[in-house]
Amino acid sequence: MLFPRLADPDTAEAVRFGDRGLNYSELATTARAVAGSLSATRGPVAVHAEPRIETAVAVIAALHAGVPAVPVNPASGPAELAHILGDSTPTGVLCAPDTALPDALTGLSRIEVSAPQDTRTLAADLPEPSTSAAALVVYTSGTTGPPKGAVLSRGALAATLDALASAWRWSGEDVVVHGLPLFHVHGLVLGVLGPLRRGGTACHLGRFSPEATATALRAWSGSRPTMLFGVPTMYRRLADSAETDTTVADALRTARLLVSGSAALPVREHDRITRLTGQRVIERYGMTETLMNTSLRVDGPHRPGTVGVPLDGVDLRIVDDEGAPITTLDGTSIGEIQVRGPNLFTGYLNRPEATAESFDGDWFRTGDMATVDGDGFVRIVGRKATDLISSGGYKIGACEIENALLEHPAVAEAAVTGQQDTDLGERIVAWVVPRDTPPAAEELIDHVSGTLAPHKRPRVVHFVDALPRNELGKVTKTALRDQHR
Ligand code: MCA
Ligand code: AMP
């Protein structure tokens, strides 16, 4: 059973978003009512994944009905939506009753998430789907083409959440506090489904800010142990705020566990948070396709700069350029991380070739480069492909943004690179050869933000006369970066 406490619900708080909360009984009843309207549905259903309580209910309802949920960024523009809808062909869209859906979603049957008027009319309990059944389809950027839909089974969700429970001593007592987006694994699977699997409480901030984080941690600290989940940009902003505001530092001090993931938290930031709050940040490493692979353990040594050791049930190896496993685990030999285990996705939706390419036998090729030391601690040193940009904890394919820029009438050629950024980790930089008179940079930024999504927008636009290319005609991005330097 994926959510035991929902099968035998009580009045303990399950989810809280600002001043709106649902206990396990209320969540179970509402989700059952919504699942009733989904049970005639075959195929996936989209979830307009606003940071609101209805999103949590919608996903639980889809899981209850055995219908795969496709979480969709509420800020996605028409091009991104057209791709996701065309690829996943959802039969309907789950949303809050007062939501104004973007045009691209209005063609779908609209299923509103609200508490039933009369609980006596609720359908009988539905049978629990099998562990191999698809639970979620989460879109993730790659180095080529538009995002691919990773199909995640119920079994994979359960395996990853249970392995984290062991590493973090995560129990139903814990309240997980975060302000992460709900259309990716971090916020949705770890931040919402995680606490519900444990029988604990998910507390979402609605929108991340250091002040909101501190308020939520303070509010729970007297009664329950808290865990804070965030990406490095959030921890950096929390540390900045804690430098000047002791209430933020004090609130962070009350947490049972601070957990960071989605991108590397620099050792400098680990040290700063420890100095300001006395807390050691637990770092974990995962991927949409693999869910969680490694973590520092609360019962193990603390090694900032590493992402800890493989989680229970996860096999991890590093391989050299020829794909041969590296057996000298000396903490210096670098290879690509490959993983296998019950946490892995089932495949990319409608992309059997891409799925096959991403595996070497039953080992999934992560594309992350790392060293492993004699104690099994993994240190990520970078990515194999430089065309994936890690910005604010989002992984963004350069190619996707280049294609969007090329659709703008004033753009003749475009290349996109990542540049180091103290706040975001990397910032997206666009290099554009204009057709004629260069448009305003802001116009191109808005174009990408509006057609794809705001977090995919370039932060800097350089207009150039030509793009440097190698003898095969491929843009040499290192030359672009050097040229700028
Ligand atoms: C939008 N804005 C614009 C434009 N478009 N401003 C100027 N020009 C435009 N064209 C606005 C936005 O709407 C927003 O406005 C404001 O700019 C700031 O947006 P932005 O800078 O993009 O974000 P931020 O507010 O600074 O957010 C930083 C963040 C965010 C909170 C750290 O990046 C974030 O939530 N990251 C989490 C990513 C994540 O969860 N990744 C997990 C995937 P306004 O302020 O008015 O709203 S990885 C994963 O799942 C794996 C499995 C793993 O390991 O975890
Ligand atoms: P996504 O495919 O969007 O889920 O992003 C997954 C990628 O984020 C991984 O392949 C890593 O490159 C990166 N990542 C996740 N967690 C960490 C971490 N703790 N340290 C470094 N990189 C990370």
Side-chain angles (χ1 to χ4, degrees):
M1 206 175 274
L2 202 45
F3 303 109
R5 199 164 186 171
L6 278 170
D8 185 16
D10 54 19
T11 56
E13 182 138 277
V15 282
R16 168 148 298 275
F17 283 65
D19 57 4
R20 298 176 68 202
L22 289 174
N23 66 34
Y24 273 87
S25 268
E26 293 161 338
L27 175 59
T29 306
T30 309
R32 250 173 79 192
V34 178
S37 25
L38 285 174
S39 50
T41 310
R42 299 159 61 90
V45 64
V47 174
H48 188 62
E50 294 178 286
R52 299 174 61 175
I53 208 160
E54 285 81 2
T55 300
V57 181
V59 173
I60 293 293
L63 286 169
H64 190 59
V67 174
V70 187
V72 177
N73 180 354
S76 278
E80 187 160 285
L81 284 175
H83 166 67
I84 293 174
L85 299 186
D87 191 49
S88 62
T89 59
T91 46
V93 55
L94 287 159
C95 61
D98 59 352
T99 295
L101 289 172
D103 286 349
L105 291 176
T106 51
L108 297 175
S109 125
R110 177 185 171 110
I111 307 153
E112 293 182 354
V113 174
S114 55
Q117 297 297 316
D118 184 352
T119 54
R120 286 169 307 179
T121 62
L122 280 185
D125 257 346
L126 299 162
E128 178 92 3
S130 74
T131 51
S132 61
L136 299 173
V137 180
V138 179
Y139 279 81
T140 179
S141 294
T143 47
T144 53
K148 299 190 282 275
V151 181
L152 301 167
S153 70
R154 300 171 75 89
L157 301 185
T160 216
L161 293 174
D162 293 351
L164 292 176
S166 154
W168 301 342
R169 292 208 189 111
W170 186 0
S171 78
E173 278 300 296
D174 288 299
V175 179
V176 172
V177 172
H178 70 97
L180 291 156
L182 298 181
F183 46 89
H184 277 307
V185 163
H186 196 167
L188 182 61
V189 177
L190 272 58
V192 175
L193 304 184
L196 296 177
R197 178 156 175 82
R198 299 272 72 81
T201 307
C203 171
H204 196 279
L205 305 172
R207 182 178 184 162
F208 170 80
S209 73
E211 297 70 31
T213 307
T215 304
L217 287 174
R218 257 201 320 272
W220 288 104
S221 67
S223 55
R224 301 267 298 275
T226 54
M227 294 163 77
L228 175 67
F229 291 177
V231 298
T233 301
M234 295 174 178
Y235 280 104
R236 231 175 267 122
R237 293 183 187 178
L238 281 162
D240 286 348
S241 173
E243 296 271 13
T244 52
D245 184 348
T246 51
T247 59
V248 173
D250 290 344
L252 289 171
R253 209 178 276 277
T254 66
R256 180 179 77 79
L257 219 57
L258 305 180
V259 185
S260 175
S262 302
L265 185 70
V267 174
R268 186 186 64 243
E269 297 301 332
H270 272 279
D271 292 347
R272 198 153 70 106
I273 291 163
T274 303
R275 172 173 59 78
L276 290 162
T277 68
Q279 295 268 24
R280 299 191 305 192
V281 179
I282 291 276
E283 196 163 351
R284 66 28 173 211
Y285 154 65
M287 211 176 161
T288 305
E289 292 88 334
T290 65
L291 301 177
M292 296 304 116
N293 296 313
T294 70
S295 181
L296 288 163
R297 301 187 63 94
V298 288
D299 55 4
H302 188 66
R303 305 237 176 114
T306 79
V307 290
V309 294
L311 289 162
D312 295 352
V314 179
D315 279 339
L316 182 147
R317 67 180 188 185
I318 51 172
V319 301
D320 65 19
D321 287 348
E322 275 70 52
I326 296 172
T327 48
T328 18
L329 301 180
D330 51 10
T332 53
S333 309
I334 297 173
E336 182 192 4
I337 301 176
Q338 297 190 344
V339 287
R340 64 179 179 191
N343 50 314
L344 260 54
F345 74 143
T346 317
Y348 295 115
L349 192 67
N350 307 322
R351 303 285 301 273
E353 301 83 18
T355 305
E357 272 166 30
S358 66
F359 280 91
D360 174 4
D362 56 354
W363 291 94
F364 177 78
R365 310 172 205 265
T366 64
D368 291 310
M369 305 300 289
T371 64
V372 182
D373 71 15
D375 298 329
F377 281 78
V378 178
R379 182 182 301 275
I380 296 178
V381 296
R383 280 197 63 85
K384 212 168 173 181
T386 50
D387 265 357
L388 269 184
I389 300 165
S390 175
S391 188
Y394 288 110
K395 196 175 71 179
I396 303 155
C399 164
E400 230 185 306
I401 306 164
E402 288 160 3
N403 288 341
L405 286 168
L406 287 170
E407 275 162 25
H408 191 283
V411 175
E413 292 179 66
V416 165
T417 57
Q419 189 179 48
Q420 246 191 335
D421 184 280
T422 43
D423 181 42
L424 297 168
E426 280 186 292
R427 79 178 78 105
I428 297 171
V429 179
W431 307 80
V432 170
V433 180
R435 275 195 196 289
D436 199 350
T437 323
E442 211 44 52
E443 188 179 325
L444 296 183
I445 293 169
D446 289 346
H447 170 73
V448 176
S449 178
T451 56
L452 295 179
H455 69 268
K456 294 183 177 173
R457 71 187 191 276
R459 307 293 169 129
V460 183
V461 179
H462 296 295
F463 292 102
V464 290
D465 295 333
L467 296 175
R469 292 181 187 273
N470 64 16
E471 53 288 356
L472 297 172
K474 204 169 170 296
V475 175
T476 45
K477 295 200 173 171
T478 41
L480 267 179
R481 291 189 205 102
D482 291 347
Q483 179 182 315
H484 184 59
R485 243 179 246 130

